[in-house]
């Protein structure tokens, strides 16, 4: 989100504060348009187009206008996690899943050209992760989320059980992130369940 | 969620592992029904009723059946946060917001009976928070989320600027939680924006 989003309302308002704290937590650039409630600016026709109830806050980004502070904050929180969940599903998952299948689970002979192609695809994805993980502790910010967790199943097979672990260890930030998420007690329990299955 | 949810599939599967790790992260009781892929159990009619593509995992709780591991995990993650976001909006927000309004912002004389009623309401809500926060670091689990953040705007005015701060300080776990979330840099920045507004 390079273009700043716009938030309307005074920071003294509890509802405006809720959205401001979320924007800061999520590191989303924003501009604050102060609405002077004592002058009734929240009831002016141009504001009512954005917030039909004439209340603060209102929110506008390139694609959507929203009101109700919890809805705005939820939109910001979910969109941020969802984009990384989808990145895992669409960009990290396919090449890593194919590699895990071909190197560990397939009975058919390994096609070296396909392996090479998937390694290159995955390396490009991880180069972007390397940048992102230089800016925040986890993918969706400084909190562990399902966006990180979703990488564990294919990532673990690939990094722990094939000779492609260097894809992680050769990238400083990815490696730090991978060590942190793969050592979570939840994931250790899943690995334990496999042994007993 | 007292009744365990059901997850179908072998833990060796990456997709099943994704859901298992989420269930463990969210501390959701579950039973695992192993589906033997080598025997083709995933193609049997009774399983296809739950998972029409004949793949693992499938998920069932009291109200919903789901397939696709990312959808199942997202459902679990979001429902867990959402229930506490709604608790803030419906149970914590109204009495704390009324108290903040009546004690700090209203020009009208304070109605003592109404203050007392809202303090009692809020105390009951916080007794439940006290229990929950004895089991996990934050409301929706061990990660800070928007469910916690959403309490800051009204909570801060009430705890820092009125004589009702004891509602938090008298409860050990609530007080620990409150000190942690209200000292986050994001919230400090919002308070700074108020001073400059």
């Amino acid at each position: 989100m390079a273009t700043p989003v716009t938030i309307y309302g005074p920071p003294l308002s509890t509802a405006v504060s809720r959205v401001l704290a979320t924007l800061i937590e999520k590191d989303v650039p924003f501009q604050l348009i102060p609405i002077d409630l004592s002058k009734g600016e929240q009831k002016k026709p141009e504001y009512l187009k954005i917030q039909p109830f004439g209340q603060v806050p209102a929110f506008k980004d390139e694609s959507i206008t929203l009101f109700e502070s919890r809805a705005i904050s939820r939109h910001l929180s979910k969109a941020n996690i969802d984009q990384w969940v989808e990145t895992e599903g669409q960009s990290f998952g396919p090449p890593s899943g194919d590699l895990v299948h071909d190197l560990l689970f397939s009975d058919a002979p390994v096609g070296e050209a396909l392996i090479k192609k998937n390694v290159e695809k995955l390396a490009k994805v991880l180069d972007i992760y390397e940048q992102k993980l230089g800016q925040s502790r986890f993918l969706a910010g400084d909190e562990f989320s399902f966006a990180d967790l979703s990488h564990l199943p294919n990532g673990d097979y690939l990094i722990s059980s094939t000779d492609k672990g260097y894809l992680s260890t050769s990238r400083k930030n990815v490696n730090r992130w991978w060590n942190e998420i793969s050592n979570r007690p939840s994931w250790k329990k899943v690995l334990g369940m496999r042994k007993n299955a």
Side-chain angles (χ1 to χ4, degrees), chain A:
Chain A
M1 294 196 215
T3 310
V5 303
T6 307
I7 170 93
Y8 300 83
L12 276 173
S13 146
T14 53
V16 173
S17 304
R18 179 174 289 116
V19 176
L20 291 175
T22 306
L23 289 163
I24 297 166
E25 283 281 346
K26 301 294 168 193
D27 212 12
V28 177
F30 65 93
Q31 56 173 332
L32 179 68
I33 308 286
I35 298 289
D36 193 332
L37 305 183
S38 68
K39 290 186 188 156
E41 288 180 357
Q42 75 278 19
K43 303 294 182 190
K44 290 192 175 167
E46 60 268 41
Y47 184 75
L48 290 174
K49 280 183 203 161
I50 308 172
Q51 216 299 2
F53 293 93
Q55 295 167 342
V56 290
F59 168 90
K60 199 163 75 171
D61 67 17
E62 282 176 311
S63 58
I64 197 169
T65 63
L66 287 173
F67 51 92
E68 280 292 335
S69 66
R70 291 173 189 85
I72 297 167
S73 292
R74 208 180 301 203
H75 164 73
L76 291 165
S77 299
K78 284 188 179 169
N80 188 39
I81 293 175
D82 279 356
Q83 71 183 344
W84 288 104
V85 173
E86 288 301 327
T87 300
E88 186 279 315
Q90 301 300 321
S91 299
F92 177 94
S96 65
D98 283 356
L99 286 168
V100 166
H101 175 264
D102 291 349
L103 295 171
L104 291 177
F105 293 113
S106 174
D107 292 331
V110 174
E112 284 301 336
L114 191 56
I115 299 283
K116 187 163 174 283
K117 191 175 146 200
N118 278 320
V119 165
E120 285 168 1
K121 267 194 199 171
L122 192 55
K124 276 188 196 164
V125 173
L126 290 175
D127 283 344
I128 298 164
Y129 281 37
E130 180 67 7
Q131 285 191 311
K132 171 62 188 164
L133 292 166
Q135 295 155 11
S136 62
R137 186 168 159 203
F138 297 104
L139 287 173
D142 288 327
E143 308 297 323
F144 176 80
S145 74
F146 171 60
D148 305 295
L149 182 151
S150 196
H151 291 76
L152 288 167
N154 280 313
D156 189 77
Y157 277 129
L158 189 73
I159 293 169
S160 306
S161 305
T162 77
D163 62 351
K164 308 300 177 201
Y166 68 87
L167 285 165
S168 172
T169 53
S170 64
R171 290 174 174 83
K172 191 184 91 178
N173 300 320
V174 169
N175 192 47
R176 167 194 55 73
W177 167 75
W178 180 257
N179 286 336
E180 182 161 1
I181 67 171
S182 62
N183 278 300
R184 286 183 75 86
S186 62
W187 186 243
K188 297 283 187 190
K189 276 193 196 168
V190 173
L191 297 182
M193 289 175 72
R194 285 184 184 170
K195 280 182 195 147
N196 302 325

